[in-house]
Amino acid sequence: MAKFTVAQIDSLRYSGPAMREAVAEAELIAAECTSEAEARAFASHVDGIICTYFALGRSVIEACPSLKVIVRTGIGFDNVDLQAATDHGVVVCNVTDYCIDEVANHAFAMILALNRQLTVHTLAERAGEKAPLAQVGNLRGETLGLVAFGNVARAVAKRAQAFGLQVIAYDPYVDAKPAAALGVELTSLEELLARSDYVSVHSPLNEETRGLIGADELARMKPTAYLVTTCRGGVVVETALQDAIKAGAIAGAGVDVWDPEPLTAERPLLQFDNVIATPHSAYYSDVSFELLYRLSGEAAADVLRGYLPRSVVNPAVLERVKLGPHPGR
């Protein structure tokens, strides 16, 4: 008989042999819950919950008296009520050490495609037309501004520097010395927007960053500059971006994250030839998906065994829940 029970309550495409193996002695049960009522009924007896996009609020957490751990399969965790989890002694984990190269590649691929106007020219050729040769820099000597300077942004910086771009960044939580060691200058957000030829947004979504890039911020950008966002929908105000592109206030955009999701054909930004749109797919590769399965299961198993997982996003809970170091790390 399994010692623990872990419920996966949405996005079952994330389940698989790697996750089941990582969860080890726990029984893994799965269902595509679409409401809090379904989640409360399905997971009321479990010791752990693994979720992806499901909004895991206080009512579900309070309905699970034996719950010890919640794992968000991904980097962002804005869909989990952290205060409710902390109040009830539930450790919340995310998976931070996967898809760094994938997202960095995706962001920089968008920068290259926007710079070379690949979408504009492809659509024109398919229509039997010739797209005009608009002003295009050659990247070398141009400036890339990174909004937030975490692991993915740092990987983008290395790619950009290899192409001769100057890289600047805004992140109030990063010290200037380690950034300088990577050849990156830290600036204010206002200065970054004004100086950059390309702005790539990598902020997590929280109360501080929701709407971080809105109409006022877009108005500070050069009319020849491009915006790329691969972080979380809601950090960039989509209607403001739509208005800026329509007015020619910026040259175009690459968007992988949306608010709300999923992306549908009716979204106004899709009408523009100078917008590259992808369906929150930057994280994906065969390698990253398999790693995500395994690390999500491992995080749940670590807490249930009494070990500190790789990442805890509500560290205040550790004042109540005592977890020891993992013997294999």
Side-chain angles (χ1 to χ4, degrees):
M1 178 178 290
K3 186 176 179 180
F4 302 108
T5 301
V6 176
Q8 187 179 11
I9 63 173
D10 71 334
S11 295
L12 302 189
R13 58 183 179 150
Y14 285 89
S15 60
M19 181 184 287
R20 292 184 179 278
E21 182 180 344
V23 172
E25 68 265 28
E27 176 190 10
L28 182 64
I29 59 175
E32 196 76 32
C33 297
T34 59
S35 69
E36 288 195 343
E38 287 183 10
R40 288 193 298 266
F42 179 67
S44 61
H45 65 291
V46 303
D47 304 287
I49 291 177
I50 297 175
C51 67
T52 304
Y53 298 117
F54 188 87
L56 197 55
R58 183 175 291 272
S59 74
V60 178
I61 293 169
E62 291 180 343
C64 304
S66 61
L67 187 63
K68 300 176 180 66
V69 60
I70 294 169
V71 180
R72 165 55 168 84
T73 54
I75 297 173
F77 47 85
D78 51 283
N79 57 311
V80 178
D81 188 330
L82 297 185
Q83 188 59 58
T86 303
D87 291 345
H88 290 273
V90 178
V91 179
V92 182
C93 310
N94 64 341
V95 181
T96 60
D97 43 357
Y98 93 109
C99 82
I100 293 170
D101 282 330
E102 287 81 359
V103 179
N105 290 342
H106 199 97
F108 198 67
M110 283 183 161
I111 291 169
L112 290 175
L114 290 165
N115 168 265
R116 300 312 306 162
Q117 299 186 16
L118 299 187
T119 301
V120 172
H121 286 280
T122 297
L123 293 173
E125 291 297 329
R126 286 178 179 171
E129 302 169 354
K130 291 295 180 182
L133 295 175
Q135 179 180 351
V136 175
N138 73 347
L139 292 183
R140 186 168 299 278
E142 294 188 282
T143 299
L144 168 64
L146 299 169
V147 179
F149 197 56
N151 291 333
V152 173
R154 295 178 194 203
V156 174
K158 293 177 182 178
R159 287 155 174 77
Q161 289 164 337
F163 279 75
L165 281 153
Q166 177 188 4
V167 182
I168 60 178
Y170 162 73
D171 194 322
Y173 300 102
V174 172
D175 188 81
K177 288 185 178 179
L182 294 172
V184 175
E185 173 192 355
L186 290 184
T187 73
S188 67
L189 179 59
E190 293 75 14
E191 182 179 352
L192 179 145
L193 294 168
R195 288 173 53 185
S196 297
D197 299 292
Y198 310 89
V199 174
S200 188
V201 186
H202 299 279
S203 303
L205 180 62
N206 53 42
E207 292 182 1
E208 183 180 357
T209 63
R210 182 174 290 279
L212 179 66
I213 305 298
D216 291 344
E217 289 73 27
L218 292 165
R220 294 179 182 274
M221 292 176 61
K222 302 175 183 179
T224 55
Y226 294 95
L227 180 92
V228 168
T229 178
T230 53
C231 53
R232 297 294 270 183
V235 175
V236 176
V237 179
E238 196 171 319
T239 53
L241 180 58
Q242 173 192 339
D243 292 342
I245 292 172
K246 185 176 182 179
I250 65 172
V255 182
D256 182 59
V257 288
W258 307 83
D259 184 23
E261 292 183 345
L263 175 62
T264 59
E266 295 76 26
R267 296 297 266 272
L269 277 173
L270 298 182
Q271 69 182 289
F272 301 110
D273 290 352
N274 56 343
V275 171
I276 298 173
T278 54
H280 202 151
S281 57
Y283 70 92
Y284 181 78
S285 75
D286 292 344
V287 172
S288 70
F289 222 43
E290 184 74 9
L291 184 61
L292 180 61
Y293 293 150
R294 180 169 60 80
L295 293 178
S296 297
E298 284 184 2
D302 285 347
V303 175
L304 295 177
R305 293 169 181 159
Y307 301 137
L308 191 67
R310 289 182 175 87
S311 176
V312 176
V313 298
N314 60 334
V317 79
L318 298 179
E319 297 176 4
R320 300 173 55 188
V321 179
K322 302 305 178 184
L323 300 173
H326 194 288
R329 298 188 194 122

